[in-house]
Amino acid sequence: MLTAEEKHQIDHEISLVPAPKNACIEALKIVQQNHGWISDESLNDVAEYVGMSPAELDSVATFYNLIFRRPVGRHVILLCDSISCYVMGFEGIKEALHEKLNIQYGQTTADGRFTLLPNCCLGTCDCAPALMIDNDLYRNLTVEQLDEILNKYT
Amino acid sequence: MEKPLTQHIIPGRAPLSLKEYEKVGGYQSVHKILKEMTPQEVQALVKESDLKGRGGAGFNTGLKWSFVPMGPDAATPKYLVANADEMEPGTFKDRMLLEGNPHQLIEGMIVAAYAIQASISYVFLRWAYKVAAREITKAIQEAYEAGYLGQNILGSGFNLDMYLHTGVGRYMCGEETALLNALEGKRANPRAKPPFPQVSGLFGKPTIVNNVETLCCLPHIVNNGAEWFKKLGLTADAGTKLFGVSGRVKTPGCWELPMGTTIREILEDYAGGMQDGYLFRGLLPGGASTDFLVVEHLDLPMDYPSIQAAGSRMGTGTMIIMDDQICPVGFTLNLQHFFAQESCGFCTPCREGLPWVERILLAIDKGEGKPEHLLTLDFHTKYLGPGNTFCALAPGAMEPLQSALKYFREDFERHIHEHHCPWSKAKAWQPSI
Ligand SMILES: Cc1cc2nc3c(=O)[nH]c(=O)nc-3n(C[C@H](O)[C@H](O)[C@H](O)COP(=O)(O)O)c2cc1C
Ligand code: SF4
Ligand code: FES
């Protein structure tokens, strides 16, 4: 069920475009903001609200890297695996994260705290290697900094 | 040295507010065009300035605008979109403008929108640029409050609305027709051209998509004239350009320099040369989808014709350096992994070809390569090249591959003959799929 507040926000997005379905990505973003991911139930609700079939909306949702169709942890770590970060040794960071969190790419820690995902270039290649946790960007990373960074997120 | 684009950007400090920006001459170009110039005159001025699009393709901006239908019979509304997707690996220049001086972008967007008589504009910003999103939101609000956006701007009768749209992550969203699909709430597959977006773009209406850096040049061209802009460049190309360097250099970064500054000067004077213990082997001059250049090219001026004559492209002007400690096969594999992941899957050569290329490179890197693999890679560089796929993503992917096979072929062959990676003290790159 979409909440009244979600409907209100989606209605605003719909008012800016010719047809309700043009606002479907915005609607998914709004729902994901609240739930962390898009469950089948959320997908069906959004599809109905903007006048699309669930299959049609799913084909849009799954196209985009940052619409999550599976549950994620409370915090999502996006580790840049693109070229400048590769040159500057992001793989050390990756190994350390796998070890510290005891998860591989695409997995969530047992306590539901972190999900680790590879991500293409974060646009801060002059400060490689880099990663993002939720809205926070970390640059010029070293393995030594990781504990302190991870400890900020509960 | 004149640095019009970055003169008001102070690293580590919040960008200028609208009031502060006005004090240093901000929004003057908006006053000027609305009072003194017709849209056609703005188009002609920009065409005359020889401003080439900074998003990668380098097409004359004024000329691109001139394909938009004008006059009372033209379809409405018309749209202007600032392309702030910037997802190409190695590219980080627009970020500096977006975070450092959002009002300059808004001012440039008003100029462009007036030139084509657009009444609705979007900033299409990638998800990861959180600081930019915050600053642009604030700046758009200030611009509305000051009467630079909205209805009847400065009493001229010109109307323009502006919205920030944040993407949800896909490299394809930067391709201009795919971007329009994303804005329409669809999968970001590219569209067939013609019709060109200038005639039938967003929601089927005339639309211009311009890169952030392109748009940021406009206020300065309006204020100072076409001749001034042309003279900013050291060679045949006009203006200044944001050049960036990443990789094992002493001081990686991004600088505004005259078009035509040599690669050597950028590498040595600005990026500080290679880090101790690392030697230069090659570079991609303008992001992940450009051909390698090598030592013999270091004295080339960074401008569109010079880089093209050397067999590469200026692209975004942000260089990625390959040093002697990193394996060229692994380097190329990392790039191809990116392109294979980000292929939109719409056309078969790209959807099937890029993962094939990735698998072959992985095999070579692991020491499982066969001599015929090189032929298969050569074959792909031709059949995924220009004209064989629906959009420029696959041909872009082939640029670093074909030039790696040309300049670093011995390294590929050594992997195959010695059955291991000569750099194997570094662990082989393992794609995440
Ligand atoms: C796969 C792909 C991704 C692109 N990404 C971007 C981008 O992030 N930003 C950008 O300005 N141009 C990008 N471009 C180029 C745009 O299609 C378009 O040429 C450009 O935005 C036009 O602006 P300009 O004329 O000001 O250069 C991309 C092109 C392709 C094929
Ligand atoms: S070349 Fe690749 S990205 Fe472009 S349309 Fe074809 S599949 Fe999509
Ligand atoms: S390559 Fe990692 S931020 Fe650009």
Side-chain angles (χ1 to χ4, degrees), chain B residues 160-214:
Chain B
L160 180 65
D161 279 312
M162 189 175 290
Y163 305 101
L164 172 65
H165 178 101
T166 37
V168 267
R170 204 64 203 245
Y171 174 50
M172 275 312 293
C173 294
E175 198 279 340
E176 60 181 359
T177 59
L179 183 154
L180 300 177
N181 279 335
L183 267 179
E184 289 184 9
K186 299 172 181 159
R187 293 164 73 95
N189 295 118
R191 297 179 180 176
K193 294 189 268 193
F196 286 87
Q198 288 97 319
V199 178
S200 175
L202 190 60
F203 303 118
K205 305 291 184 182
T207 305
I208 284 285
V209 179
N210 275 139
N211 170 260
V212 168
E213 187 183 350
T214 311

Side-chain angles (χ1 to χ4, degrees), chain A residues 58-114:
Chain A
D58 200 26
S59 81
V60 176
T62 52
F63 187 87
Y64 293 99
N65 298 333
L66 297 167
I67 298 290
F68 303 133
R69 286 287 280 116
R70 276 195 277 162
V72 290
R74 293 193 292 284
H75 309 285
V76 176
I77 304 178
L78 298 177
L79 178 64
C80 174
D81 68 354
S82 292
I83 191 65
S84 307
C85 290
Y86 172 60
V87 170
M88 299 307 285
F90 93 94
E91 284 168 310
I93 310 280
K94 182 183 82 174
E95 295 298 327
L97 284 172
H98 286 334
E99 206 167 291
K100 283 179 200 297
L101 302 174
N102 199 18
I103 49 172
Q104 300 295 311
Y105 279 146
Q107 296 179 340
T108 301
T109 52
D111 58 3
R113 206 164 132 224
F114 291 111

Side-chain angles (χ1 to χ4, degrees), chain A residues 18 22 24 26 29 59 63-66 78 81 83-84 86 90-91 105 120-123 125-126 135 137, chain B residues 87 89 92 95 126-127 129-130 165-166 168-170 184-188 203 246 252 334 342 429 432:
Chain A
N22 295 130
C24 73
E26 294 307 304
K29 276 157 67 179
S59 81
F63 187 87
Y64 293 99
N65 298 333
L66 297 167
L78 298 177
D81 68 354
I83 191 65
S84 307
Y86 172 60
F90 93 94
E91 284 168 310
Y105 279 146
C120 34
C121 179
L122 291 165
C125 326
D126 53 336
N135 292 336
L137 178 66
Chain B
M87 266 180 79
F92 53 97
R95 173 173 217 139
R126 68 173 293 186
W127 180 91
Y129 283 6
K130 300 289 179 188
H165 178 101
T166 37
V168 267
R170 204 64 203 245
E184 289 184 9
K186 299 172 181 159
R187 293 164 73 95
F203 303 118
S246 63
N334 177 283
E342 291 297 315
W429 154 254
S432 51

Side-chain angles (χ1 to χ4, degrees), chain B residues 137-378:
Chain B
T137 304
K138 197 158 62 181
I140 289 178
Q141 195 180 342
E142 285 181 331
Y144 266 107
E145 284 161 9
Y148 291 117
L149 291 174
Q151 301 297 301
N152 192 19
I153 297 171
L154 303 178
S156 66
F158 177 61
N159 309 324
L160 180 65
D161 279 312
M162 189 175 290
Y163 305 101
L164 172 65
H165 178 101
T166 37
V168 267
R170 204 64 203 245
Y171 174 50
M172 275 312 293
C173 294
E175 198 279 340
E176 60 181 359
T177 59
L179 183 154
L180 300 177
N181 279 335
L183 267 179
E184 289 184 9
K186 299 172 181 159
R187 293 164 73 95
N189 295 118
R191 297 179 180 176
K193 294 189 268 193
F196 286 87
Q198 288 97 319
V199 178
S200 175
L202 190 60
F203 303 118
K205 305 291 184 182
T207 305
I208 284 285
V209 179
N210 275 139
N211 170 260
V212 168
E213 187 183 350
T214 311
L215 292 161
C216 288
C217 291
L218 299 173
H220 308 288
I221 294 172
V222 169
N223 290 334
N224 302 304
E227 282 311 307
W228 168 86
F229 188 74
K230 279 193 207 163
K231 287 202 188 109
L232 288 178
L234 298 175
T235 52
D237 260 327
T240 56
K241 175 85 194 70
L242 295 184
F243 292 115
V245 180
S246 63
R248 294 270 174 204
V249 289
K250 288 206 179 92
T251 52
C254 182
W255 311 274
E256 181 181 6
L257 298 170
M259 192 66 97
T261 305
T262 68
I263 298 175
R264 189 184 296 281
E265 192 179 341
I266 297 169
L267 266 183
E268 290 178 1
D269 296 356
Y270 294 90
M274 298 301 289
Q275 286 180 7
D276 295 335
Y278 293 89
L279 293 174
F280 173 87
R281 276 208 85 192
L283 63 83
L284 303 174
S289 64
T290 58
D291 288 81
F292 277 99
L293 296 177
V294 292
V295 177
E296 67 191 71
H297 300 118
L298 286 179
D299 290 308
L300 281 179
M302 280 290 272
D303 62 35
Y304 293 95
S306 305
I307 301 299
Q308 191 162 357
S312 188
R313 289 189 308 120
M314 261 275 284
T316 60
T318 38
M319 308 176 192
I320 308 160
I321 310 300
M322 188 172 85
D323 58 74
D324 66 331
Q325 311 276 312
I326 195 132
C327 169
V329 176
F331 193 102
T332 310
L333 169 59
N334 177 283
L335 294 169
Q336 298 305 319
H337 170 69
F338 164 78
F339 289 113
Q341 288 273 296
E342 291 297 315
S343 163
C344 82
F346 180 74
C347 63
T348 314
C350 174
R351 181 183 63 243
E352 304 289 325
L354 289 176
W356 190 358
V357 165
E358 185 186 350
R359 281 199 300 278
I360 292 175
L361 288 169
L362 184 62
I364 296 175
D365 201 33
K366 288 204 294 204
E368 295 162 7
K370 303 189 177 67
E372 58 270 28
H373 278 156
L374 292 182
L375 296 175
T376 314
L377 290 177
D378 285 336

